């Protein structure tokens, strides 16, 4: 498990250690070990909570950024780049926001050998207070609206909780969208659009299942009117928060003086939303939901290498086989696939283990028979099945297989996810399901602030279980006589309860 | 010049102010004004030296990053993401490096409400001291070499000099490549490869002319054995430094203990290089060299919008004309072009001025005649010429025109650049050429440290003129009797002298 010399593109000839950890029952160990073994990240950077993303995760995250940004563009957003530092005075402007984020800020208070700064600078934990002073200059008339901008980059939060690579740390990489509208209705519609973007990208492109919740009042973004957030489930049944979108109402526009003049020259405060998909965390969720006991399984579209070619040497035929391998590689490269020919000195079997552990979707095995018949043997990482394909059919077959592969891994992830959902009618049932490592739907008094005590009770009584909010797709309401398990008041809604990863 | 409501994609109907500044004679004003008017950046962020990049520059810089990264990949690099903070103890390890960069560091010394950190953290001014401790863990054997990694992101430098949008600031966005080799020869070859990458991207894709210099000993990167850097010339004849590549030798590998075991199990220190193209600055150089008196001229490949369609309304025909415009837009969109249909209420002439100022390469004018004949009138931003093209020929014609357009603007930029180069045989000639705003080649004693006094003399006597180094393409040496203008010693080389932007 030590940092060996197996660089991605040039695995060493050292003995290959096989990977085999029961993901379902030892998820925490599985995750820690796969991050090391697949060389996704290095945890040995000497600042607490900061990690180094290695090529095998970085290449994939860059592809994920690209897909996410194209989707933001499609919905009318434009990219910007704002400074990473925020003057303390900006940061202080919105009271709830500063209260929520102050405990998490890294502060810059000097520069150069002697240089003291005019004012302390916050290393941005999120960019509202960097962007909105400029928004107040940019938005003048109704013609400037809607203003829909996003930036991709890093934010820094001095998190107290223990850090986990990709899933929780003090530096993470994300996209943040910040939109401004003339009316509250348009802002509300934007939060729905943001949730649609989450579905279009995370579910339809990355194959990650999740539920989107309206968060309870006591669990909102600092300064928001409402927060809507996606939760997925880790293999151990614990939830992990994925992108959230926040209806900011006019809280920030009033604090930062973002006003527009309507067609009749009347001035109004604007309504705002913000949306924050954290790519590093989504990557963590993606490998957690798709991986299996022998290693990673990358969705085809975001795999750092999509196809690996492994030659099966045969005495006297090596040159011919290698030539054919090169030919196949060129063909696939020209078709636009990310392909690698593994012509290191390791044994084919070792290469198989290695690339399966790394999660490469397809392996082409090419030996004497394949070379003679102008064929390849395709191994699929999703089903672990093999098939022989003629070179002439390879392009078409890969198109078909890559679609099917995505369907297989998405369906599998969704099945596991749905299996982890349950409903409880009584406190005992809730306890039982939670012990079964499920996320549980229960009738509930209220997600307004007067439900907070009950949520605290749940947390205290049930080992940290948390009320996640109302599923935004929820169509049912509790029966008329249903009551909250905790306070016994009439149940007005269903909420989900789960434990945090 | 105020921040009006002309958003890129939805220009206001307000009066259009035309842009007309003599770039050659008032370059400084031209640059400042075009940054505002074309909405490239906003200078009103309230931290000195930090600016906001607006969509019109950000979209282009993202395209530039993509082109640059693909080229880095092609030469065998892989992407990584390192933390933006560096512990003070790492930062102190290489003596020359810390001496060079310490005056420019922003320091983080606290976090959270109370939290004091174990150690001060530098906001990285460059990433050697963040990356190399990990390199010392990753490199073990000759099989791990070469190690060629890059990251794209921000760095921060507390610059004393006055800041200029894109060209000089306290936060800039760049790519930094950090490579490790077994031998000095391979490291030297990498600096040549880096210079080739600069040519392949900056010259061949962005159309920016430059000379690459070996910098004098007194003007090296802090900790380097040699520095090679590209200089381009601004329209006022002043030089601007573009990417530099540094031969680090074994200075850093000894400081950070980066060693490898050769095939005979013998341990050696590695040899390193680093390379740092700053995209924000290259963007600034690109708009400076290509723009003209009426505004920006974007290279086709990195234009935020490549083609704008302007309908010429005609009473009774408006619906038909708009329909045809939509059809053309769809066609171009499907062909993969970044296209926009400007159907705001402004007059066509105002739209022409606006999009010319914004630097969009091609404008399609579509009125009654074009609609009836299924044609478009193409206006080229490079030559300001118009031509009529049948819709059926548009795809082919755009392919041809976009290549020709790039040739025209690259050639024009190169001609101006070469016109600004001169050679001097005497001090008087040097003075004269510098007054003529040229970059001047002169015979020179030495770029070793014993030439430094002469360089200081030049600076003192000639209003800040600087010795930039030896052109790496230089094939000539001075005549045997040639002497250094300053010390009168025999001239061993030719160097270029210029003034800084």
């Amino acid at each position: 498990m030590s940092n060996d010399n197996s660089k991605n593109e040039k695995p060493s000839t050292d003995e290959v250690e096989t990977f085999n950890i029961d993901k379902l029952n030892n998820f925490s160990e599985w995750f820690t070990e796969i991050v090391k073994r697949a060389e996704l990240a290095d945890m040995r950077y000497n600042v607490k909570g900061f990690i180094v993303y290695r090529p095998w995760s970085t290449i994939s995250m860059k592809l994920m950024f690209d897909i996410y940004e194209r989707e933001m563009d499609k919905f009318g957003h434009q990219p910007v780049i704002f400074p990473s530092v925020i003057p303390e005075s900006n940061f202080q402007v919105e009271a709830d926001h500063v209260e929520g984020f102050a405990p998490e800020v890294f502060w810059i208070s000097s520069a150069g050998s002697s240089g003291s700064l005019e004012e302390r600078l916050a290393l941005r934990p999120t960019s509202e207070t960097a962007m909105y002073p400029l928004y107040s200059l940019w938005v003048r008339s109704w013609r400037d609206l809607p203003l829909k901008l996003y930036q991709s980059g890093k934010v820094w939060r001095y998190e107290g909780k223990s850090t986990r690579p990709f899933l929780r740390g003090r530096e993470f990489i994300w996209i943040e969208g910040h939109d401004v509208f003339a009316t509250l209705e348009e802002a509300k519609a934007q939060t729905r659009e943001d949730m649609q973007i989450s579905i279009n990208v995370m579910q339809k492109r990355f194959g990650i299942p999740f539920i989107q919740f309206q968060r309870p009042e006591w669990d909102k973004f600092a300064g928001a009117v409402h927060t809507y957030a996606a939760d997925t489930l880790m293999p151990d049944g614990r939830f992990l928060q994925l992108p959230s979108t926040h209806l900011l109402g006019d809280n920030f526009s009033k604090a930062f003086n973002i006003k527009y003049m309507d067609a009749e020259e009347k001035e109004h405060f604007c309504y705002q939303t913000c949306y924050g998909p954290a790519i590093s965390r989504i990557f963590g969720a993606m490998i957690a939901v798709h991986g299996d006991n022998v290693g990673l399984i990358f969705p085809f579209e975001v795999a750092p290498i999509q196809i690996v070619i492994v030659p099966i040497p045969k005495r006297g035929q090596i040159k011919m086989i290698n030539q054919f391998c090169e030919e196949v590689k060129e063909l696939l490269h020209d078709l636009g696939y990310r392909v690698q020919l593994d012509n290191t000195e390791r044994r084919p079997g070792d290469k198989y283990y290695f690339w399966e552990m790394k999660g490469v979707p397809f392996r082409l095995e090419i030996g004497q028979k394949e070379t003679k018949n102008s064929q390849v043997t395709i191994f699929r990482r999703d089903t672990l099945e093999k098939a022989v394909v003629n070179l002439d059919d390879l392009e078409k077959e890969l198109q078909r297989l890559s679609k099917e592969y995505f369907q297989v891994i998405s369906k599998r992830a969704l099945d596991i996810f749905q299996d982890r959902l349950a409903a409880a009618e009584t406190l005992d049932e809730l306890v039982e399901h939670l012990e079964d490592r499920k996320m549980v739907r229960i009738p509930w008094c209220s997600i307004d602030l007067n439900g907070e005590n009950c949520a605290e009770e749940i947390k205290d009584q049930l080992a940290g279980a948390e009320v996640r909010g109302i599923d935004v797709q929820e169509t049912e309401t509790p029966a008329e006589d249903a009551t909250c398990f905790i306070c016994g008041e009439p149940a007005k809604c269903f909420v989900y309860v789960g434990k945090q990863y």
Side-chain angles (χ1 to χ4, degrees), chain A:
Chain A
M1 220 60 63
S2 71
N3 186 276
D4 64 17
N5 34 29
S6 49
K7 261 182 64 195
N8 305 329
E9 70 291 16
K10 213 173 44 179
S12 84
T13 53
D14 293 358
E15 202 62 27
V16 171
E17 229 180 305
T18 59
F19 186 89
N20 195 359
I21 299 176
D22 184 342
K23 189 180 85 164
L24 203 61
N25 292 304
N26 293 313
F27 173 64
S28 186
E29 186 196 349
W30 182 92
F31 193 81
T32 304
E33 289 305 318
I34 200 65
V35 165
K36 266 195 232 172
R37 285 287 295 284
E39 300 190 325
L40 297 172
D42 200 307
M43 310 297 292
R44 292 172 293 179
Y45 195 74
N46 55 337
V47 185
K48 190 173 174 242
F50 288 76
I51 70 170
V52 176
Y53 299 102
R54 303 190 70 177
W56 201 246
S57 64
T58 305
I59 295 169
S60 182
M61 288 195 290
K62 283 166 80 93
L63 295 162
M64 293 169 77
F65 263 108
D66 199 52
I67 290 169
Y68 231 118
E69 291 175 352
R70 289 302 73 72
E71 195 70 17
M72 295 293 282
D73 295 344
K74 224 173 75 183
F75 280 91
H77 294 85
Q78 290 193 303
V80 287
I81 303 170
F82 268 77
S84 299
V85 301
I86 303 175
E88 187 164 16
S89 54
N90 290 24
F91 189 71
Q92 302 286 358
V93 169
E94 211 284 337
D96 287 340
H97 187 77
V98 67
E99 196 192 318
F101 280 102
E104 298 191 347
V105 171
F106 286 94
W107 290 105
I108 300 163
S109 24
S110 65
S113 318
S114 57
S116 64
L117 298 165
E118 287 161 41
E119 185 180 7
R120 280 209 302 180
L121 301 173
L123 202 52
R124 65 175 181 210
T126 176
S127 303
E128 286 74 11
T129 61
M131 295 172 81
Y132 298 168
L134 273 290
Y135 278 26
S136 98
L137 299 170
W138 293 342
V139 176
R140 288 272 172 263
S141 115
W142 60 274
R143 288 191 194 88
D144 302 325
L145 298 175
L147 178 68
K148 298 174 71 166
L149 303 175
Y150 69 91
Q151 63 175 340
S152 297
K154 288 178 172 178
V155 287
W156 297 268
R157 294 181 188 171
Y158 184 67
E159 282 257 10
K161 295 183 193 157
S162 67
T163 58
R164 293 294 248 154
F166 299 99
L167 304 178
R168 181 176 295 116
R170 291 182 171 177
E171 175 179 65
F172 58 92
I173 47 176
W174 75 346
I175 296 170
E176 47 181 323
H178 292 270
D179 298 351
V180 187
F181 302 92
T183 65
L184 181 61
E185 286 61 42
E186 287 171 281
K188 285 180 177 171
Q190 184 59 45
T191 60
R192 292 191 294 271
E193 189 179 290
D194 291 344
M195 287 190 267
Q196 188 58 48
I197 292 174
S198 295
I199 292 170
N200 292 355
V201 177
M202 290 202 300
Q203 198 181 92
K204 296 190 180 168
R205 309 289 286 275
F206 305 157
I208 304 170
F210 53 84
I211 298 178
Q212 305 202 74
F213 294 105
Q214 182 185 337
R215 287 277 186 256
E217 280 300 289
W218 57 88
D219 193 19
K220 291 185 311 187
F221 177 76
V225 173
H226 289 310
T227 284
Y228 305 90
D231 282 338
T232 188
L233 295 173
M234 293 290 95
D236 59 3
R238 290 170 186 265
F239 65 80
L240 178 77
Q241 175 168 316
L242 292 176
S244 47
T245 172
H246 311 290
L247 179 67
L248 302 179
D250 56 8
N251 290 349
F252 283 86
S253 70
K254 282 180 173 159
F256 286 94
N257 199 33
I258 307 174
K259 287 188 281 197
Y260 75 96
M261 200 79 89
D262 67 19
E264 280 77 44
E265 306 266 296
K266 259 188 71 184
E267 216 173 45
H268 307 272
F269 282 107
C270 298
Y271 292 89
Q272 294 178 266
T273 62
C274 60
Y275 176 54
I279 300 298
S280 43
R281 178 178 276 202
I282 296 170
F283 177 87
M286 185 176 79
I287 61 166
V289 301
H290 294 310
D292 64 12
N293 293 357
V294 302
L296 298 173
I297 298 180
F298 273 103
F300 188 76
E301 209 182 351
V302 296
I305 292 173
Q306 298 172 304
I307 303 163
V308 65
I309 300 171
V310 176
I312 321 288
K314 168 90 182 176
R315 201 185 300 255
Q317 311 284 323
I318 290 178
K319 207 177 147 193
M320 198 184 69
I321 292 171
N322 277 341
Q323 226 159 24
F324 184 58
C325 286
E326 286 286 353
E327 197 184 307
V328 174
K329 182 186 142 188
E330 281 310 304
L331 170 75
L332 294 176
H333 180 266
D334 292 347
L335 289 172
Y337 291 113
R338 291 182 292 280
V339 58
Q340 182 164 327
L341 167 56
D342 182 353
N343 45 21
T344 57
E345 285 164 23
R346 290 187 300 185
R347 289 186 303 262
D350 290 345
K351 295 180 186 177
Y352 294 178
Y353 285 127
F354 180 77
W355 294 112
E356 285 171 32
M357 183 272 290
K358 297 278 265 188
V360 172
F362 298 113
R363 176 174 76 230
L364 305 187
E365 303 168 6
I366 296 180
Q368 185 187 22
K369 202 185 97 222
E370 285 85 358
T371 303
K372 278 198 175 142
N373 301 334
S374 202
Q375 294 176 328
V376 297
T377 296
I378 298 192
F379 167 84
R380 297 169 57 155
R381 181 67 182 86
D382 56 343
T383 58
L384 308 177
E385 291 165 350
K386 286 186 187 185
V388 175
V389 176
N390 288 325
L391 192 61
D392 290 342
D393 304 327
L394 187 57
E395 177 178 3
K396 224 170 141 189
E397 188 61 4
L398 278 172
Q399 279 172 4
R400 190 186 69 77
L401 279 180
S402 58
K403 282 196 193 101
E404 194 180 283
Y405 171 98
F406 183 70
Q407 282 159 3
V408 167
I409 67 168
S410 305
K411 171 83 168 43
R412 188 152 62 201
L414 185 62
D415 287 347
I416 294 171
F417 181 81
Q418 284 174 336
D419 233 38
R420 287 250 179 248
L421 301 180
E425 302 283 329
T426 65
L427 186 58
D428 285 347
E429 277 178 30
L430 171 61
V431 171
E432 201 177 306
H433 285 314
L434 285 173
E435 275 169 8
D436 255 13
R437 306 189 299 175
K438 303 214 168 188
M439 179 119 162
V440 194
R441 192 180 83 152
I442 59 169
W444 188 252
C445 53
S446 169
I447 62 166
D448 293 344
L449 279 179
N450 47 21
E452 189 172 11
N453 281 338
C454 294
E456 285 300 321
E457 279 278 320
I458 291 257
K459 212 175 201 166
D460 290 348
Q461 283 186 32
L462 305 179
E466 288 181 35
V467 172
R468 303 306 288 159
I470 299 173
D471 179 352
V472 297
Q473 306 266 30
E474 182 68 76
T475 51
E476 278 185 273
T477 44
E480 262 183 46
D481 59 346
T483 54
C484 172
F485 300 169
I486 308 299
C487 63
E489 294 290 317
K492 289 194 227 116
C493 57
F494 288 111
V495 295
Y496 278 81
V497 173
K499 291 190 179 176
Q500 186 165 25
Y501 182 71

